[in-house]
């Protein structure tokens, strides 16, 4: 149980275009989900907290107009990278807590490459 | 959240026991210690969690001394597939609460044939 799925696993897009990444909790409901970014050989950095039915909370330095987060249902959060640039190329990971568990569950990650 | 310090990297031969120690001098009373494993191009995966003394599951053991200022993840008889980055995280357990995790640099474990 407690499976979090991300889609796509990898995507290549042209500079200036937008890309949407989906994060789904498959067998539980998640009122909160978290989005992380990980650059090569670095640790995960929290970008934002996604809250079902309300606005996301962004960490300092993360542009909310560039990284649009929508959490429209209890099982789905989406991250849209708008007007992507090569420096946005990174590994994006979502996680979701499950109410009866004390550990966090992570998606498999999405490798974004902007060319 | 309490800051954690771990070795940047470790090497081990297959079949050996590996112990990775994490320092967390500023751990708070309501903080738990959780370890995650991350393979390249994958999301982290939960390994083990504890509050005090010793916790054991099917993949690892976690040793926590009485003062809780450090913890040691023990991986018995490692194999090549255990090559990964291991993260030690310290923070409060709030049930269905935040889980807003702060990752340190982690320990890159390389298992050698």
């Amino acid at each position: 149980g407690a499976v979090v799925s991300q889609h796509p696993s990898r995507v290549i897009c042209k500079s200036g275009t937008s890309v949407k990444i989906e994060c789904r909790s498959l067998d539980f409901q998640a009122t909160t989900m978290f989005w992380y970014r990980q650059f090569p050989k670095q640790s995960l950095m929290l970008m934002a907290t996604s809250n079902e039915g309300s606005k996301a909370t962004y960490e300092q330095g993360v542009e909310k107009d560039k990284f649009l987060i929508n959490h429209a249902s209890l099982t789905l959060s989406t991250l849209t990278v708008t007007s992507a640039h090569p420096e946005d190329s990174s590994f994006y990971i979502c996680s979701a807590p499950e109410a009866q568990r004390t550990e966090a569950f992570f998606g498999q990650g999405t490798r974004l490459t902007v060319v | 959240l309490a800051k954690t310090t771990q070795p940047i990297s470790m090497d081990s031969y297959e079949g050996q026991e590996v112990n990775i120690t994490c320092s967390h001098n500023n751990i708070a009373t309501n903080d738990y210690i959780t370890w995650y494993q991350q393979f390249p191009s994958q999301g982290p995966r939960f390994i083990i969690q504890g509050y005090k003394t010793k916790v054991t599951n099917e993949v690892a053991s976690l040793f926590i001394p009485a003062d809780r200022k450090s913890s040691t993840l023990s991986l018995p008889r490692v194999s090549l597939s255990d090559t990964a980055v291991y993260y030690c995280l310290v923070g409060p357990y709030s049930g269905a609460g935040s889980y807003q995790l702060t990752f340190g640099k982690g320990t890159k474990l390389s298992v050698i044939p």
Side-chain angles (χ1 to χ4, degrees):
Chain A
V3 177
V4 176
S5 179
Q6 268 183 257
H7 179 81
S9 58
R10 58 179 65 231
V11 58
I12 301 173
C13 72
K14 291 184 177 181
S15 186
T17 62
S18 296
V19 173
K20 180 184 287 187
I21 302 170
E22 294 186 345
C23 179
R24 294 181 184 272
S25 55
L26 297 186
D27 50 0
F28 67 100
Q29 294 181 335
T31 56
T32 302
M33 292 185 178
F34 302 96
W35 287 95
Y36 297 83
R37 179 167 54 184
Q38 185 175 34
F39 291 107
K41 299 189 185 302
Q42 294 188 24
S43 188
L44 285 78
M45 294 294 293
L46 179 67
M47 297 176 65
T49 301
S50 172
N51 303 297
E52 189 269 334
S54 65
K55 291 183 178 180
T57 304
Y58 292 82
E59 294 300 300
Q60 190 172 9
V62 177
E63 301 175 56
K64 62 180 181 180
D65 294 330
K66 181 171 184 60
F67 299 98
L68 301 180
I69 291 174
N70 184 280
H71 195 151
S73 78
L74 289 171
T75 60
L76 174 65
S77 175
T78 60
L79 169 67
T80 301
V81 183
T82 62
S83 186
H85 289 101
E87 55 265 32
D88 298 323
S89 297
S90 188
F91 192 55
Y92 292 86
I93 307 168
C94 69
S95 78
E98 197 273 325
Q100 306 305 317
R101 308 284 286 270
T102 61
E103 68 271 34
F105 297 93
F106 292 84
Q108 62 267 53
T110 297
R111 174 75 59 191
L112 170 64
T113 302
V114 184
V115 298
Chain B
L1 297 174
K3 181 181 177 181
T4 59
T5 303
Q6 318 173 219
I8 294 296
S9 63
M10 293 181 69
D11 293 336
S12 175
Y13 287 102
E14 273 191 296
Q16 289 188 330
E17 177 185 77
V18 171
N19 296 308
I20 306 175
T21 297
C22 178
S23 297
H24 28 80
N25 292 317
N26 297 321
I27 190 168
T29 303
N30 60 341
D31 283 345
Y32 280 69
I33 301 156
T34 311
W35 287 79
Y36 291 87
Q37 175 193 55
Q38 186 182 26
F39 296 114
S41 296
Q42 292 188 28
R45 182 176 72 105
F46 170 82
I47 300 175
I48 197 165
Q49 183 181 74
Y51 183 81
K52 61 180 179 181
T53 63
K54 176 184 175 182
V55 179
T56 296
N57 62 22
E58 62 276 10
V59 298
S61 293
L62 179 59
F63 299 92
I64 306 169
D67 66 6
R68 303 202 325 124
K69 293 183 183 300
S70 67
S71 59
T72 299
L73 173 71
S74 181
L75 304 173
R77 299 179 297 281
V78 294
S79 64
L80 295 177
S81 62
D82 292 316
T83 293
V85 178
Y86 293 82
Y87 294 98
C88 162
L89 282 80
V90 173
Y93 161 51
S94 53
S98 64
Y99 296 100
Q100 194 176 62
L101 303 178
T102 300
F103 284 81
K105 297 183 184 300
T107 298
K108 181 176 172 56
L109 172 65
S110 298
V111 180
I112 307 165

